[in-house]
Amino acid sequence: MEKGDSSRPISLGFFAEWSLAFWTLCSIIVPVLITLWWSFRRSRRQGLVQDILRKSKHDWQYVDLFSQPTYCCICSQHILQGAFCNCCGLCVDEGCLKKADRRFFCKEIMMSGGGGVSMTHHWIRGNVPLCSYCVVCKQQCGTQPKLCDYRCIWCQNTVHDECMQNSLKNETCELGEFCNLIIPPYYLFSISQMRKDKKTDYSKLASPYRKDWTPLLILANTRSGNNMGETLLGQFKILLNPVQIFDLTKTTPAKALQLCSWLPFNAARVLVCGGDGTVGWVLDAIDDMKIKGQEQYVPQVAILPLGTGNDLSNTLGWGAGYAGEVPVEQILRNVMEADGGKLDRWKVQVTNKGYYNLRKQKVFTMNNYFSIGPDALMALNFHAHREKSPSLFSSRIINKAVYFFYGTKDCLVQECKDLNKKIELELDGERLNLPNLEGIIVLNIGYWGGGCRLWEGMGDELYPLARHDDGLLEVVGVNGSFHCAQIQVKLANPVRLGQAHTVRLILKHSKMPMQVDGEPWAQGPCTVTITHKTHALMLSHSGEQTDDEVSSVSEQELAKDQTEEDTWDSARF
C-alpha cells in the first residue's frame, strides 16, 4: 500500500511532463501545418488562375487591390481584388473569369466594318473612368455605388444607364478624340483581304478614311529606367488598337516597324518609351528600312523618356524623365501637336593603331555625343556593375547615385589625367593645340550629362546655339570629374574647343575609356573619325523653354542690342 502510494506522484509528474511536451509540440506543428496547407491551396489557386489568364482572349492583369471602387462586370459585386483587362477595361472577380470569357468579347484588332470604313460602338458596362460625362445628358457618369453606366472601349464615350438608347447601340463609332492616331480594325481587315488577293497598294485604302490620319505605333522598353513600361503598355492599349502597341523586350523594333509598310506614305508616327539607348535602337531599325528601299514608309519619332540620362528627349522638348505625372491622354495630345524636324546622325569609326592588327574596325552610330575621359570612365564602371547585378539598377535615383559615387572616386584617383599629352585632335583637318585636359566631349545635341547645356554655358562670351540639325559638331574639354560636377551645377564652364563637320581624334598611347551615347568601352591606341551619316525624322514638343534656353536667348539678344548700339555710336562719330 505504501509502495503504491509512493509511485503515484512519480507517475503523475511523468504524465504532466509528457502532456506539456505534447501540447507544446502541437502549438508549434499545427500552425505550421495550417500555413503549409493554405500556401498549397493558394499556389494551386494561383496556378489555376494563371492558366485561365493564359488561355483567355482578354489581356488579363491580376490586381491585388484596386485603386478605386470597382465592381465585377459579371456578378455586379464590389471587389477589392480580381482581374483587369488591359485592352477593353473589363473588371471581374477571380471566380467570374471563365464566365467573362464566354460572355464578353475583348477589343478586336481586326474586323469587317459596315461599308468597309466604319463600325458600331463596343459598350462595356460599369467602372467608367473618373470625371467622365454622359454624351446624351452631359452629366457626370459613374457616381452611384454600384455597377452602372456604359463606356465604349474605342471612342471612350460614356453614357448613363437611363440614357442608353437603341440608337446609341447601333450608332457608328468615330473612334473619339484620338481617331487620327488609331489604326481601325476595319482598315486591317481590308489589308488582310488585299494580301489574300496578292495586292500591295495599301495607300488607296486610306483615301476614303482621313486626310490628316497619322497612325501611331507605341514601342516601349519595359526594362528602361523606373520600370513604368508595363503600366504604360496597358494604358495605351485602352486608348488605341492593341495591334499598335509593342513591348521591345518581346518584339524587335525591326519587326514592329513592319506595320508601317501597311500604312499611307510618310503618315506613320512612332512613340518610343525608353531611354536614349532605346531611341537609338529604333532609329537604327529605321535606317535599315531606308536601306531596304522603304524610305516612303519611314515614320517620325517622338520620345517618352523612361531612362536615366534622356538628353536627346530633353533636347527635343519631351522632358528629362517621365514618372507618371502626366496622364497618357495628354501624352497622345502632345504627339498629335508635335512639330516635325531632323536629327543629325553621325558615324563613329574607331581604327586600331598598328599595321598588323587583324581585328575589325569598330563602327558606331552617334545621336547624342562621343566622349573620352572621366565621364566615359564613370559610364564604364556603371555598366560593369549593372551587368553583374542588374536587379539593383531598376531605379533612376539609384542609377544617378551610382554615377555620383564613381565620379567622386575619380576625383581622388584621376585616372584620365594628362589626356592632352596622349591624344591629337583635328577639327575639319586642322590640328588643335590642346590645353591641359582630362576629357573631350563631342556633342551633337544641346544637352549632356542628364540635362546640362555644355556649349552655351553661363559665361559672358557668346557662342552660337548648338543645333541637332545643322551638320555641325560642338567639341569641348573638361578638366576632370570635379570640373564635370561644377559644370552640371552651373559653377563652371567647359573649355570650348570649336565646331566642325568632321572630327578626328588620335590616341597615341595607353588605354583610355570611351563612350558613344552611353555605350562605354576601354580603348587602346587608335584613330577615331566622326563623320555625318544620315538624318532621322523626329518630332519635337514645343513646350515651355527651360531656364538655360531662356538665359541663352536673352544673352544673345542683349549682345545683339549692344552691337547695334556700338555700330550706331561709331556711325555718329
Side-chain angles (χ1 to χ4, degrees):
M1 189 71 181
E2 293 177 359
K3 185 177 181 180
D5 291 341
S6 62
S7 63
R8 184 174 297 174
I10 297 175
S11 62
L12 288 175
F14 180 76
F15 176 77
E17 290 177 359
W18 274 101
S19 176
L20 179 62
F22 172 76
W23 288 112
T24 303
L25 190 63
C26 288
S27 65
I28 297 174
I29 293 178
V30 170
V32 172
L33 291 175
I34 293 174
T35 303
L36 291 174
W37 169 250
W38 281 108
S39 297
F40 171 75
R41 291 284 303 273
R42 183 179 180 182
S43 62
R44 185 180 178 184
R45 177 174 58 85
Q46 288 180 344
L48 294 174
V49 170
Q50 291 298 326
D51 187 59
I52 295 173
L53 299 182
R54 185 171 58 255
K55 295 179 180 179
S56 174
K57 293 183 179 179
H58 288 271
D59 185 14
W60 294 115
Q61 178 181 348
Y62 193 80
V63 181
D64 290 324
L65 181 65
F66 287 102
S67 59
Q68 63 186 56
T70 305
Y71 300 88
C72 177
C73 293
I74 302 297
C75 63
S76 302
Q77 297 297 315
H78 180 262
I79 54 176
L80 296 177
Q81 64 179 15
F84 171 81
C85 179
N86 281 322
C87 294
C88 65
L90 198 68
C91 300
V92 295
D93 192 7
E94 185 180 301
C96 299
L97 277 170
K98 289 186 177 180
K99 294 180 181 178
D101 275 329
R102 293 193 298 265
R103 188 177 300 182
F104 294 102
F105 293 103
C106 192
K107 267 186 175 180
E108 296 185 53
I109 63 174
M110 183 172 62
M111 64 179 179
S112 61
V117 292
S118 63
M119 64 181 187
T120 57
H121 290 287
H122 185 161
W123 298 104
I124 292 290
R125 188 165 184 258
N127 304 307
V128 300
L130 298 175
C131 300
S132 55
Y133 293 87
C134 177
V135 295
V136 177
C137 67
K138 309 302 180 184
Q139 299 298 316
Q140 191 171 356
C141 290
T143 56
Q144 301 181 45
K146 63 177 183 179
L147 187 75
C148 62
D149 304 337
Y150 290 86
R151 175 183 62 88
C152 175
I153 64 176
W154 285 104
C155 65
Q156 310 304 321
N157 284 341
T158 56
V159 60
H160 289 124
D161 289 329
E162 57 271 18
C163 296
M164 176 60 74
Q165 305 167 359
N166 289 329
S167 58
L168 277 177
K169 292 182 179 180
N170 300 320
E171 186 182 50
T172 298
C173 179
E174 299 295 338
L175 301 179
E177 179 184 2
F178 306 113
C179 58
N180 286 337
L181 303 180
I182 296 175
I183 301 178
Y186 50 80
Y187 180 86
L188 294 176
F189 180 80
S190 301
I191 291 288
S192 65
Q193 294 298 115
M194 291 187 67
R195 288 172 64 86
K196 289 179 181 178
D197 298 335
K198 297 183 179 180
K199 298 179 181 179
T200 57
D201 190 8
Y202 307 137
S203 58
K204 295 180 179 179
L205 292 177
S207 55
Y209 181 52
R210 280 187 179 88
K211 294 181 180 180
D212 54 351
W213 186 37
T214 54
L216 178 68
L217 306 186
I218 308 292
L219 276 61
N221 187 351
T222 55
R223 296 176 183 171
S224 289
N226 50 5
N227 295 328
M228 288 197 61
E230 291 186 2
T231 303
L232 287 169
L233 286 175
Q235 293 175 343
F236 282 124
K237 286 179 181 178
I238 290 287
L239 299 174
L240 307 175
N241 191 333
V243 78
Q244 303 172 235
I245 318 298
F246 298 93
D247 184 353
L248 294 181
T249 61
K250 300 176 181 178
T251 306
T252 62
K255 191 172 183 180
L257 291 172
Q258 289 178 2
L259 186 58
C260 294
S261 61
W262 296 357
L263 301 172
F265 294 163
N266 302 320
R269 295 186 171 191
V270 170
L271 176 63
V272 181
C273 307
D276 287 345
T278 305
V279 177
W281 189 18
V282 174
L283 294 181
D284 287 341
I286 292 176
D287 284 345
D288 291 339
M289 293 177 63
K290 298 177 183 177
I291 295 173
K292 295 176 182 177
Q294 298 178 338
E295 192 162 358
Q296 67 271 28
Y297 300 113
V298 167
Q300 295 177 303
V301 179
I303 306 173
L304 182 61
L306 300 182
T308 302
N310 304 314
D311 291 304
L312 179 57
S313 171
N314 212 1
T315 299
L316 297 175
W318 297 106
Y322 178 75
E325 67 279 3
V326 179
V328 291
E329 292 85 356
Q330 185 58 45
I331 294 171
L332 295 179
R333 295 186 192 106
N334 292 342
V335 173
M336 287 193 295
E337 298 170 359
D339 301 319
K342 291 183 178 181
L343 171 70
D344 290 325
R345 305 194 77 208
W346 301 82
K347 178 181 178 181
V348 180
Q349 187 173 351
V350 182
T351 306
N352 294 304
K353 192 174 181 180
Y355 295 101
Y356 303 103
N357 198 329
L358 300 179
R359 288 186 296 175
K360 293 183 178 179
Q361 296 177 341
K362 295 179 182 177
V363 179
F364 303 89
T365 300
M366 184 184 81
N367 301 314
N368 299 356
Y369 41 75
F370 164 86
S371 69
I372 176 173
D375 65 326
L377 179 62
M378 286 187 284
L380 184 62
N381 291 329
F382 174 83
H383 278 263
H385 282 76
R386 185 168 66 174
E387 288 180 359
K388 293 180 181 178
S389 304
S391 59
L392 300 178
F393 295 86
S394 59
S395 170
R396 187 182 292 133
I397 296 176
I398 293 177
N399 294 348
K400 291 188 176 182
V402 174
Y403 266 104
F404 175 77
F405 168 76
Y406 284 118
T408 306
K409 178 183 175 183
D410 185 63
C411 288
L412 303 175
V413 179
Q414 292 184 327
E415 295 184 29
C416 303
K417 63 181 179 179
D418 297 329
L419 178 68
N420 54 299
K421 299 178 182 178
K422 302 174 184 178
I423 68 168
E424 295 178 2
L425 179 64
E426 296 179 2
L427 302 184
D428 288 337
E430 182 179 349
R431 183 177 172 181
L432 299 185
N433 292 322
L434 295 175
N436 187 18
L437 296 173
E438 288 191 26
I440 291 177
I441 305 169
V442 182
L443 298 159
N444 178 47
I445 60 177
Y447 286 93
W448 164 87
C452 175
R453 297 189 72 92
L454 278 185
W455 184 251
E456 288 81 10
M458 49 168 281
D460 297 330
E461 191 174 358
L462 295 175
Y463 288 85
L465 291 173
R467 294 179 59 88
H468 52 269
D469 59 354
D470 58 356
L472 280 174
L473 293 167
E474 287 74 35
V475 185
V476 300
V478 293
N479 296 322
S481 298
F482 186 68
H483 188 206
C484 291
Q486 287 181 311
I487 293 171
Q488 288 184 321
V489 296
K490 301 182 180 180
L491 293 178
N493 285 328
V495 181
R496 295 176 179 85
L497 300 176
Q499 291 179 303
H501 298 88
T502 302
V503 175
R504 190 166 179 257
L505 186 148
I506 302 172
L507 179 60
K508 296 182 288 186
H509 55 84
S510 74
K511 180 178 284 189
M512 294 293 294
M514 298 182 180
Q515 71 160 337
V516 174
D517 291 353
E519 183 178 346
W521 75 96
Q523 178 64 49
C526 67
T527 299
V528 179
T529 306
I530 306 177
T531 55
H532 193 270
K533 179 182 178 182
T534 185
H535 286 103
L537 300 178
M538 307 298 292
L539 292 171
S540 58
H541 175 52
S542 55
E544 295 183 358
Q545 285 183 314
T546 63
D547 294 338
D548 291 329
E549 290 173 337
V550 172
S551 61
S552 298
V553 172
S554 60
E555 285 175 2
Q556 286 195 342
E557 289 178 350
L558 288 174
K560 183 179 179 181
D561 294 341
Q562 185 65 39
T563 302
E564 290 177 352
E565 290 178 4
D566 294 343
T567 304
W568 174 249
D569 291 340
S570 61
R572 283 191 303 168
F573 295 101

